[in-house]
Amino acid sequence: KYFEVKAEKLEAEAKEHAEMVLNYRAHPSASETKRPGAADTAGHCEKLSQNLANAAKDARALAADHQAMAKQQ
């Protein structure tokens, strides 16, 4: 159950940052060119969203593994 809850939280964060990417792309700031990758840029949020989505995928895999182990006992 722990990893399922963790995956849900990570997926929600990934979605939030994906939405921020759209906002930053629609309204770019000077940071996009002056400080690429800074926290207030689309690139930062895009990378963070991808990393969070990958972490959620890993958490879901761990949850499945734990469920399989529990059934073996």
Side-chain angles (χ1 to χ4, degrees):
K1 187 81 175 161
Y2 170 82
F3 289 111
E4 291 173 9
V5 172
K6 188 71 171 172
E8 289 171 9
K9 289 179 182 180
L10 291 165
E11 288 166 346
E13 280 190 73
K15 182 180 177 187
E16 181 181 341
H17 283 278
E19 290 169 359
M20 291 172 73
V21 169
L22 298 176
N23 186 43
Y24 282 131
R25 292 241 163 89
H27 309 288
S29 68
S31 292
E32 292 290 344
T33 54
K34 291 185 177 189
R35 299 180 307 132
D40 60 342
T41 63
H44 168 82
C45 288
E46 188 170 44
K47 184 170 181 110
L48 188 54
S49 178
Q50 290 170 351
N51 289 343
L52 288 165
N54 287 338
K57 183 179 173 184
D58 291 344
R60 292 236 179 253
L62 284 169
D65 289 346
H66 279 241
Q67 287 175 355
M69 284 189 293
K71 287 180 183 177
Q72 290 175 356
Q73 293 181 348

